[in-house]
Amino acid sequence: NLYFLLVALSQFIPALQVGFLFTYIAPLIFVLGITLLKEGYDDYQRYRRDKEANSQRYERLTPIGLRESVPSSDLRVGDLVFVNAGERVPADMILLRTSDQSGSVFIRTDQLD
């Protein structure tokens, strides 16, 4: 992209001008257009993945001690959330307890940004 921009800008200097200005600006516009479409498609895919992740249901503890199933988008700071084996952790959390007899937990961190 930078190359096409520099070549197009050089054509505004009369001593460096070779040919028509359109032949230098057209490749720049083409490359920027393709990049714009690619970024738009990537953003749309990210939006779909985020929407799917935010609709995944988790169990949280209510103030009266009952479990209720809510989408991860409804989780708030201070909620006590039950995360079962193999489930994704829906937010930044502090582990309070595990059901494992030895008290150990394995957490995969490959999805962290």
Side-chain angles (χ1 to χ4, degrees), residues 70-105:
V70 295
S72 63
S73 60
D74 288 346
L75 294 175
R76 300 291 175 246
V77 174
D79 283 348
L80 295 178
V81 180
F82 294 92
V83 179
N84 298 313
E87 282 186 338
R88 290 183 140 202
V89 177
D92 294 342
M93 298 183 148
I94 297 173
L95 180 65
L96 298 177
R97 194 181 126 217
T98 179
S99 61
D100 188 53
Q101 295 297 330
S102 66
S104 63
V105 167

PDB file of all heavy atoms in Angstrom, residues 70-105:
ATOM      1  N   VAL A  70     -28.323 -17.990  32.570  1.00  0.00           N
ATOM      2  CA  VAL A  70     -28.369 -16.689  31.892  1.00  0.00           C
ATOM      3  C   VAL A  70     -27.351 -16.685  30.759  1.00  0.00           C
ATOM      4  O   VAL A  70     -26.339 -17.385  30.813  1.00  0.00           O
ATOM      5  CB  VAL A  70     -28.060 -15.530  32.867  1.00  0.00           C
ATOM      6  CG1 VAL A  70     -29.121 -15.402  33.934  1.00  0.00           C
ATOM      7  CG2 VAL A  70     -26.696 -15.679  33.480  1.00  0.00           C
ATOM      8  N   PRO A  71     -27.597 -15.884  29.704  1.00  0.00           N
ATOM      9  CA  PRO A  71     -26.576 -15.740  28.667  1.00  0.00           C
ATOM     10  C   PRO A  71     -25.370 -14.979  29.224  1.00  0.00           C
ATOM     11  O   PRO A  71     -25.506 -14.183  30.164  1.00  0.00           O
ATOM     12  CB  PRO A  71     -27.272 -14.954  27.561  1.00  0.00           C
ATOM     13  CG  PRO A  71     -28.459 -14.331  28.193  1.00  0.00           C
ATOM     14  CD  PRO A  71     -28.817 -15.142  29.397  1.00  0.00           C
ATOM     15  N   SER A  72     -24.214 -15.224  28.665  1.00  0.00           N
ATOM     16  CA  SER A  72     -23.011 -14.578  29.197  1.00  0.00           C
ATOM     17  C   SER A  72     -23.069 -13.061  29.084  1.00  0.00           C
ATOM     18  O   SER A  72     -22.403 -12.362  29.841  1.00  0.00           O
ATOM     19  CB  SER A  72     -21.766 -15.108  28.501  1.00  0.00           C
ATOM     20  OG  SER A  72     -21.799 -14.806  27.128  1.00  0.00           O
ATOM     21  N   SER A  73     -23.880 -12.525  28.183  1.00  0.00           N
ATOM     22  CA  SER A  73     -24.010 -11.069  28.067  1.00  0.00           C
ATOM     23  C   SER A  73     -24.708 -10.451  29.275  1.00  0.00           C
ATOM     24  O   SER A  73     -24.599  -9.250  29.507  1.00  0.00           O
ATOM     25  CB  SER A  73     -24.758 -10.699  26.789  1.00  0.00           C
ATOM     26  OG  SER A  73     -26.053 -11.269  26.798  1.00  0.00           O
ATOM     27  N   ASP A  74     -25.437 -11.280  30.066  1.00  0.00           N
ATOM     28  CA  ASP A  74     -26.115 -10.769  31.263  1.00  0.00           C
ATOM     29  C   ASP A  74     -25.290 -10.919  32.538  1.00  0.00           C
ATOM     30  O   ASP A  74     -25.747 -10.536  33.607  1.00  0.00           O
ATOM     31  CB  ASP A  74     -27.459 -11.492  31.459  1.00  0.00           C
ATOM     32  CG  ASP A  74     -28.499 -11.062  30.443  1.00  0.00           C
ATOM     33  OD1 ASP A  74     -28.273 -10.025  29.772  1.00  0.00           O
ATOM     34  OD2 ASP A  74     -29.524 -11.748  30.315  1.00  0.00           O
ATOM     35  N   LEU A  75     -24.092 -11.471  32.435  1.00  0.00           N
ATOM     36  CA  LEU A  75     -23.243 -11.599  33.622  1.00  0.00           C
ATOM     37  C   LEU A  75     -22.697 -10.232  34.001  1.00  0.00           C
ATOM     38  O   LEU A  75     -22.330  -9.436  33.148  1.00  0.00           O
ATOM     39  CB  LEU A  75     -22.085 -12.566  33.348  1.00  0.00           C
ATOM     40  CG  LEU A  75     -22.478 -14.017  33.107  1.00  0.00           C
ATOM     41  CD1 LEU A  75     -21.252 -14.836  32.740  1.00  0.00           C
ATOM     42  CD2 LEU A  75     -23.178 -14.603  34.315  1.00  0.00           C
ATOM     43  N   ARG A  76     -22.665  -9.954  35.296  1.00  0.00           N
ATOM     44  CA  ARG A  76     -22.202  -8.663  35.807  1.00  0.00           C
ATOM     45  C   ARG A  76     -21.089  -8.878  36.821  1.00  0.00           C
ATOM     46  O   ARG A  76     -20.903  -9.968  37.360  1.00  0.00           O
ATOM     47  CB  ARG A  76     -23.358  -7.897  36.458  1.00  0.00           C
ATOM     48  CG  ARG A  76     -24.500  -7.597  35.521  1.00  0.00           C
ATOM     49  CD  ARG A  76     -24.074  -6.571  34.461  1.00  0.00           C
ATOM     50  NE  ARG A  76     -25.129  -6.363  33.489  1.00  0.00           N
ATOM     51  CZ  ARG A  76     -25.044  -6.699  32.224  1.00  0.00           C
ATOM     52  NH1 ARG A  76     -23.970  -7.264  31.758  1.00  0.00           N
ATOM     53  NH2 ARG A  76     -26.028  -6.479  31.392  1.00  0.00           N
ATOM     54  N   VAL A  77     -20.384  -7.811  37.120  1.00  0.00           N
ATOM     55  CA  VAL A  77     -19.327  -7.854  38.122  1.00  0.00           C
ATOM     56  C   VAL A  77     -19.931  -8.280  39.456  1.00  0.00           C
ATOM     57  O   VAL A  77     -20.962  -7.768  39.877  1.00  0.00           O
ATOM     58  CB  VAL A  77     -18.660  -6.466  38.263  1.00  0.00           C
ATOM     59  CG1 VAL A  77     -17.665  -6.458  39.405  1.00  0.00           C
ATOM     60  CG2 VAL A  77     -17.990  -6.070  36.965  1.00  0.00           C
ATOM     61  N   GLY A  78     -19.308  -9.241  40.097  1.00  0.00           N
ATOM     62  CA  GLY A  78     -19.779  -9.718  41.390  1.00  0.00           C
ATOM     63  C   GLY A  78     -20.632 -10.964  41.314  1.00  0.00           C
ATOM     64  O   GLY A  78     -20.955 -11.551  42.351  1.00  0.00           O
ATOM     65  N   ASP A  79     -21.022 -11.401  40.113  1.00  0.00           N
ATOM     66  CA  ASP A  79     -21.813 -12.622  39.980  1.00  0.00           C
ATOM     67  C   ASP A  79     -20.958 -13.837  40.311  1.00  0.00           C
ATOM     68  O   ASP A  79     -19.771 -13.891  39.967  1.00  0.00           O
ATOM     69  CB  ASP A  79     -22.341 -12.782  38.551  1.00  0.00           C
ATOM     70  CG  ASP A  79     -23.524 -11.888  38.253  1.00  0.00           C
ATOM     71  OD1 ASP A  79     -24.090 -11.316  39.199  1.00  0.00           O
ATOM     72  OD2 ASP A  79     -23.884 -11.763  37.065  1.00  0.00           O
ATOM     73  N   LEU A  80     -21.563 -14.794  40.998  1.00  0.00           N
ATOM     74  CA  LEU A  80     -20.920 -16.084  41.231  1.00  0.00           C
ATOM     75  C   LEU A  80     -21.387 -17.025  40.126  1.00  0.00           C
ATOM     76  O   LEU A  80     -22.576 -17.306  39.998  1.00  0.00           O
ATOM     77  CB  LEU A  80     -21.301 -16.640  42.602  1.00  0.00           C
ATOM     78  CG  LEU A  80     -20.800 -15.827  43.797  1.00  0.00           C
ATOM     79  CD1 LEU A  80     -21.287 -16.441  45.095  1.00  0.00           C
ATOM     80  CD2 LEU A  80     -19.289 -15.742  43.792  1.00  0.00           C
ATOM     81  N   VAL A  81     -20.442 -17.484  39.311  1.00  0.00           N
ATOM     82  CA  VAL A  81     -20.756 -18.253  38.114  1.00  0.00           C
ATOM     83  C   VAL A  81     -20.214 -19.670  38.266  1.00  0.00           C
ATOM     84  O   VAL A  81     -19.079 -19.868  38.694  1.00  0.00           O
ATOM     85  CB  VAL A  81     -20.139 -17.590  36.861  1.00  0.00           C
ATOM     86  CG1 VAL A  81     -20.458 -18.388  35.613  1.00  0.00           C
ATOM     87  CG2 VAL A  81     -20.627 -16.166  36.716  1.00  0.00           C
ATOM     88  N   PHE A  82     -21.037 -20.652  37.902  1.00  0.00           N
ATOM     89  CA  PHE A  82     -20.623 -22.049  37.896  1.00  0.00           C
ATOM     90  C   PHE A  82     -20.089 -22.373  36.505  1.00  0.00           C
ATOM     91  O   PHE A  82     -20.812 -22.234  35.512  1.00  0.00           O
ATOM     92  CB  PHE A  82     -21.809 -22.973  38.218  1.00  0.00           C
ATOM     93  CG  PHE A  82     -22.320 -22.803  39.616  1.00  0.00           C
ATOM     94  CD1 PHE A  82     -23.350 -21.918  39.893  1.00  0.00           C
ATOM     95  CD2 PHE A  82     -21.772 -23.535  40.655  1.00  0.00           C
ATOM     96  CE1 PHE A  82     -23.827 -21.759  41.171  1.00  0.00           C
ATOM     97  CE2 PHE A  82     -22.247 -23.379  41.947  1.00  0.00           C
ATOM     98  CZ  PHE A  82     -23.275 -22.493  42.209  1.00  0.00           C
ATOM     99  N   VAL A  83     -18.832 -22.794  36.446  1.00  0.00           N
ATOM    100  CA  VAL A  83     -18.219 -23.179  35.176  1.00  0.00           C
ATOM    101  C   VAL A  83     -17.896 -24.663  35.273  1.00  0.00           C
ATOM    102  O   VAL A  83     -17.114 -25.082  36.127  1.00  0.00           O
ATOM    103  CB  VAL A  83     -16.949 -22.361  34.882  1.00  0.00           C
ATOM    104  CG1 VAL A  83     -16.334 -22.797  33.564  1.00  0.00           C
ATOM    105  CG2 VAL A  83     -17.264 -20.877  34.856  1.00  0.00           C
ATOM    106  N   ASN A  84     -18.500 -25.456  34.411  1.00  0.00           N
ATOM    107  CA  ASN A  84     -18.294 -26.904  34.410  1.00  0.00           C
ATOM    108  C   ASN A  84     -17.076 -27.274  33.587  1.00  0.00           C
ATOM    109  O   ASN A  84     -16.572 -26.470  32.794  1.00  0.00           O
ATOM    110  CB  ASN A  84     -19.539 -27.609  33.871  1.00  0.00           C
ATOM    111  CG  ASN A  84     -20.752 -27.344  34.732  1.00  0.00           C
ATOM    112  OD1 ASN A  84     -20.680 -27.454  35.956  1.00  0.00           O
ATOM    113  ND2 ASN A  84     -21.853 -26.966  34.101  1.00  0.00           N
ATOM    114  N   ALA A  85     -16.624 -28.508  33.740  1.00  0.00           N
ATOM    115  CA  ALA A  85     -15.459 -29.004  33.001  1.00  0.00           C
ATOM    116  C   ALA A  85     -15.712 -28.908  31.497  1.00  0.00           C
ATOM    117  O   ALA A  85     -16.773 -29.269  31.014  1.00  0.00           O
ATOM    118  CB  ALA A  85     -15.166 -30.441  33.392  1.00  0.00           C
ATOM    119  N   GLY A  86     -14.731 -28.388  30.783  1.00  0.00           N
ATOM    120  CA  GLY A  86     -14.832 -28.277  29.330  1.00  0.00           C
ATOM    121  C   GLY A  86     -15.514 -27.012  28.847  1.00  0.00           C
ATOM    122  O   GLY A  86     -15.546 -26.758  27.649  1.00  0.00           O
ATOM    123  N   GLU A  87     -16.087 -26.203  29.727  1.00  0.00           N
ATOM    124  CA  GLU A  87     -16.746 -24.957  29.317  1.00  0.00           C
ATOM    125  C   GLU A  87     -15.722 -23.835  29.221  1.00  0.00           C
ATOM    126  O   GLU A  87     -14.711 -23.838  29.906  1.00  0.00           O
ATOM    127  CB  GLU A  87     -17.815 -24.545  30.333  1.00  0.00           C
ATOM    128  CG  GLU A  87     -19.096 -25.293  30.244  1.00  0.00           C
ATOM    129  CD  GLU A  87     -20.150 -24.725  31.192  1.00  0.00           C
ATOM    130  OE1 GLU A  87     -19.814 -24.052  32.179  1.00  0.00           O
ATOM    131  OE2 GLU A  87     -21.324 -24.965  30.925  1.00  0.00           O
ATOM    132  N   ARG A  88     -16.045 -22.877  28.382  1.00  0.00           N
ATOM    133  CA  ARG A  88     -15.224 -21.676  28.291  1.00  0.00           C
ATOM    134  C   ARG A  88     -15.530 -20.773  29.470  1.00  0.00           C
ATOM    135  O   ARG A  88     -16.669 -20.696  29.923  1.00  0.00           O
ATOM    136  CB  ARG A  88     -15.532 -20.910  27.019  1.00  0.00           C
ATOM    137  CG  ARG A  88     -15.063 -21.598  25.791  1.00  0.00           C
ATOM    138  CD  ARG A  88     -15.326 -20.754  24.595  1.00  0.00           C
ATOM    139  NE  ARG A  88     -14.169 -20.888  23.734  1.00  0.00           N
ATOM    140  CZ  ARG A  88     -13.831 -20.032  22.817  1.00  0.00           C
ATOM    141  NH1 ARG A  88     -14.538 -18.960  22.635  1.00  0.00           N
ATOM    142  NH2 ARG A  88     -12.777 -20.230  22.084  1.00  0.00           N
ATOM    143  N   VAL A  89     -14.525 -20.075  29.928  1.00  0.00           N
ATOM    144  CA  VAL A  89     -14.722 -19.094  30.985  1.00  0.00           C
ATOM    145  C   VAL A  89     -15.241 -17.829  30.312  1.00  0.00           C
ATOM    146  O   VAL A  89     -14.592 -17.287  29.426  1.00  0.00           O
ATOM    147  CB  VAL A  89     -13.406 -18.826  31.744  1.00  0.00           C
ATOM    148  CG1 VAL A  89     -13.588 -17.757  32.790  1.00  0.00           C
ATOM    149  CG2 VAL A  89     -12.897 -20.109  32.377  1.00  0.00           C
ATOM    150  N   PRO A  90     -16.439 -17.336  30.708  1.00  0.00           N
ATOM    151  CA  PRO A  90     -17.068 -16.255  29.963  1.00  0.00           C
ATOM    152  C   PRO A  90     -16.489 -14.861  30.200  1.00  0.00           C
ATOM    153  O   PRO A  90     -16.794 -13.944  29.461  1.00  0.00           O
ATOM    154  CB  PRO A  90     -18.520 -16.306  30.435  1.00  0.00           C
ATOM    155  CG  PRO A  90     -18.442 -16.888  31.797  1.00  0.00           C
ATOM    156  CD  PRO A  90     -17.301 -17.846  31.766  1.00  0.00           C
ATOM    157  N   ALA A  91     -15.666 -14.678  31.222  1.00  0.00           N
ATOM    158  CA  ALA A  91     -15.149 -13.344  31.530  1.00  0.00           C
ATOM    159  C   ALA A  91     -13.929 -13.489  32.429  1.00  0.00           C
ATOM    160  O   ALA A  91     -13.527 -14.594  32.787  1.00  0.00           O
ATOM    161  CB  ALA A  91     -16.232 -12.520  32.234  1.00  0.00           C
ATOM    162  N   ASP A  92     -13.348 -12.366  32.818  1.00  0.00           N
ATOM    163  CA  ASP A  92     -12.282 -12.405  33.815  1.00  0.00           C
ATOM    164  C   ASP A  92     -12.898 -12.848  35.128  1.00  0.00           C
ATOM    165  O   ASP A  92     -13.871 -12.252  35.591  1.00  0.00           O
ATOM    166  CB  ASP A  92     -11.652 -11.027  33.981  1.00  0.00           C
ATOM    167  CG  ASP A  92     -10.909 -10.578  32.731  1.00  0.00           C
ATOM    168  OD1 ASP A  92     -10.593 -11.445  31.904  1.00  0.00           O
ATOM    169  OD2 ASP A  92     -10.655  -9.383  32.592  1.00  0.00           O
ATOM    170  N   MET A  93     -12.332 -13.875  35.718  1.00  0.00           N
ATOM    171  CA  MET A  93     -12.922 -14.447  36.928  1.00  0.00           C
ATOM    172  C   MET A  93     -11.847 -14.837  37.927  1.00  0.00           C
ATOM    173  O   MET A  93     -10.695 -15.056  37.551  1.00  0.00           O
ATOM    174  CB  MET A  93     -13.738 -15.703  36.602  1.00  0.00           C
ATOM    175  CG  MET A  93     -14.894 -15.475  35.701  1.00  0.00           C
ATOM    176  SD  MET A  93     -15.763 -17.019  35.494  1.00  0.00           S
ATOM    177  CE  MET A  93     -17.399 -16.410  35.307  1.00  0.00           C
ATOM    178  N   ILE A  94     -12.268 -14.966  39.148  1.00  0.00           N
ATOM    179  CA  ILE A  94     -11.433 -15.508  40.212  1.00  0.00           C
ATOM    180  C   ILE A  94     -12.014 -16.863  40.574  1.00  0.00           C
ATOM    181  O   ILE A  94     -13.202 -16.979  40.859  1.00  0.00           O
ATOM    182  CB  ILE A  94     -11.430 -14.577  41.449  1.00  0.00           C
ATOM    183  CG1 ILE A  94     -10.833 -13.234  41.080  1.00  0.00           C
ATOM    184  CG2 ILE A  94     -10.671 -15.219  42.591  1.00  0.00           C
ATOM    185  CD1 ILE A  94     -10.947 -12.202  42.187  1.00  0.00           C
ATOM    186  N   LEU A  95     -11.162 -17.875  40.562  1.00  0.00           N
ATOM    187  CA  LEU A  95     -11.612 -19.217  40.899  1.00  0.00           C
ATOM    188  C   LEU A  95     -11.740 -19.324  42.416  1.00  0.00           C
ATOM    189  O   LEU A  95     -10.784 -19.111  43.149  1.00  0.00           O
ATOM    190  CB  LEU A  95     -10.613 -20.252  40.377  1.00  0.00           C
ATOM    191  CG  LEU A  95     -10.949 -21.700  40.662  1.00  0.00           C
ATOM    192  CD1 LEU A  95     -12.228 -22.093  39.934  1.00  0.00           C
ATOM    193  CD2 LEU A  95      -9.804 -22.596  40.261  1.00  0.00           C
ATOM    194  N   LEU A  96     -12.941 -19.626  42.892  1.00  0.00           N
ATOM    195  CA  LEU A  96     -13.175 -19.739  44.330  1.00  0.00           C
ATOM    196  C   LEU A  96     -13.074 -21.179  44.826  1.00  0.00           C
ATOM    197  O   LEU A  96     -12.612 -21.432  45.935  1.00  0.00           O
ATOM    198  CB  LEU A  96     -14.557 -19.170  44.696  1.00  0.00           C
ATOM    199  CG  LEU A  96     -14.765 -17.686  44.406  1.00  0.00           C
ATOM    200  CD1 LEU A  96     -16.186 -17.280  44.757  1.00  0.00           C
ATOM    201  CD2 LEU A  96     -13.765 -16.846  45.176  1.00  0.00           C
ATOM    202  N   ARG A  97     -13.521 -22.114  43.997  1.00  0.00           N
ATOM    203  CA  ARG A  97     -13.560 -23.503  44.433  1.00  0.00           C
ATOM    204  C   ARG A  97     -13.608 -24.420  43.224  1.00  0.00           C
ATOM    205  O   ARG A  97     -14.114 -24.059  42.176  1.00  0.00           O
ATOM    206  CB  ARG A  97     -14.802 -23.720  45.295  1.00  0.00           C
ATOM    207  CG  ARG A  97     -14.769 -25.014  46.077  1.00  0.00           C
ATOM    208  CD  ARG A  97     -16.017 -25.200  46.892  1.00  0.00           C
ATOM    209  NE  ARG A  97     -16.521 -26.520  46.495  1.00  0.00           N
ATOM    210  CZ  ARG A  97     -17.772 -26.831  46.354  1.00  0.00           C
ATOM    211  NH1 ARG A  97     -18.699 -25.954  46.573  1.00  0.00           N
ATOM    212  NH2 ARG A  97     -18.136 -28.023  46.008  1.00  0.00           N
ATOM    213  N   THR A  98     -13.089 -25.627  43.410  1.00  0.00           N
ATOM    214  CA  THR A  98     -13.156 -26.644  42.369  1.00  0.00           C
ATOM    215  C   THR A  98     -13.793 -27.903  42.937  1.00  0.00           C
ATOM    216  O   THR A  98     -13.728 -28.143  44.143  1.00  0.00           O
ATOM    217  CB  THR A  98     -11.750 -26.961  41.802  1.00  0.00           C
ATOM    218  OG1 THR A  98     -11.878 -27.969  40.819  1.00  0.00           O
ATOM    219  CG2 THR A  98     -10.812 -27.425  42.883  1.00  0.00           C
ATOM    220  N   SER A  99     -14.390 -28.687  42.058  1.00  0.00           N
ATOM    221  CA  SER A  99     -15.016 -29.929  42.502  1.00  0.00           C
ATOM    222  C   SER A  99     -14.030 -31.088  42.483  1.00  0.00           C
ATOM    223  O   SER A  99     -14.373 -32.190  42.899  1.00  0.00           O
ATOM    224  CB  SER A  99     -16.226 -30.251  41.625  1.00  0.00           C
ATOM    225  OG  SER A  99     -15.804 -30.417  40.283  1.00  0.00           O
ATOM    226  N   ASP A 100     -12.805 -30.860  42.009  1.00  0.00           N
ATOM    227  CA  ASP A 100     -11.802 -31.910  41.960  1.00  0.00           C
ATOM    228  C   ASP A 100     -11.350 -32.272  43.382  1.00  0.00           C
ATOM    229  O   ASP A 100     -11.146 -31.387  44.225  1.00  0.00           O
ATOM    230  CB  ASP A 100     -10.598 -31.435  41.141  1.00  0.00           C
ATOM    231  CG  ASP A 100      -9.598 -32.541  40.884  1.00  0.00           C
ATOM    232  OD1 ASP A 100     -10.018 -33.604  40.381  1.00  0.00           O
ATOM    233  OD2 ASP A 100      -8.413 -32.340  41.195  1.00  0.00           O
ATOM    234  N   GLN A 101     -11.186 -33.561  43.635  1.00  0.00           N
ATOM    235  CA  GLN A 101     -10.812 -34.028  44.977  1.00  0.00           C
ATOM    236  C   GLN A 101      -9.460 -33.482  45.416  1.00  0.00           C
ATOM    237  O   GLN A 101      -9.263 -33.166  46.585  1.00  0.00           O
ATOM    238  CB  GLN A 101     -10.797 -35.563  45.012  1.00  0.00           C
ATOM    239  CG  GLN A 101     -12.155 -36.204  44.798  1.00  0.00           C
ATOM    240  CD  GLN A 101     -13.149 -35.853  45.898  1.00  0.00           C
ATOM    241  OE1 GLN A 101     -12.776 -35.619  47.040  1.00  0.00           O
ATOM    242  NE2 GLN A 101     -14.424 -35.782  45.542  1.00  0.00           N
ATOM    243  N   SER A 102      -8.522 -33.389  44.485  1.00  0.00           N
ATOM    244  CA  SER A 102      -7.187 -32.907  44.851  1.00  0.00           C
ATOM    245  C   SER A 102      -7.128 -31.384  44.924  1.00  0.00           C
ATOM    246  O   SER A 102      -6.129 -30.825  45.362  1.00  0.00           O
ATOM    247  CB  SER A 102      -6.154 -33.410  43.841  1.00  0.00           C
ATOM    248  OG  SER A 102      -6.396 -32.832  42.571  1.00  0.00           O
ATOM    249  N   GLY A 103      -8.172 -30.706  44.457  1.00  0.00           N
ATOM    250  CA  GLY A 103      -8.206 -29.243  44.488  1.00  0.00           C
ATOM    251  C   GLY A 103      -7.464 -28.594  43.330  1.00  0.00           C
ATOM    252  O   GLY A 103      -7.258 -27.387  43.326  1.00  0.00           O
ATOM    253  N   SER A 104      -7.087 -29.384  42.330  1.00  0.00           N
ATOM    254  CA  SER A 104      -6.351 -28.824  41.195  1.00  0.00           C
ATOM    255  C   SER A 104      -7.296 -28.499  40.044  1.00  0.00           C
ATOM    256  O   SER A 104      -8.366 -29.068  39.908  1.00  0.00           O
ATOM    257  CB  SER A 104      -5.271 -29.798  40.728  1.00  0.00           C
ATOM    258  OG  SER A 104      -5.859 -30.984  40.260  1.00  0.00           O
ATOM    259  N   VAL A 105      -6.850 -27.558  39.221  1.00  0.00           N
ATOM    260  CA  VAL A 105      -7.632 -27.100  38.070  1.00  0.00           C
ATOM    261  C   VAL A 105      -6.694 -26.913  36.884  1.00  0.00           C
ATOM    262  O   VAL A 105      -5.585 -26.413  37.040  1.00  0.00           O
ATOM    263  CB  VAL A 105      -8.346 -25.767  38.384  1.00  0.00           C
ATOM    264  CG1 VAL A 105      -8.898 -25.123  37.143  1.00  0.00           C
ATOM    265  CG2 VAL A 105      -9.421 -25.951  39.399  1.00  0.00           C
TER     266      VAL A 105
END
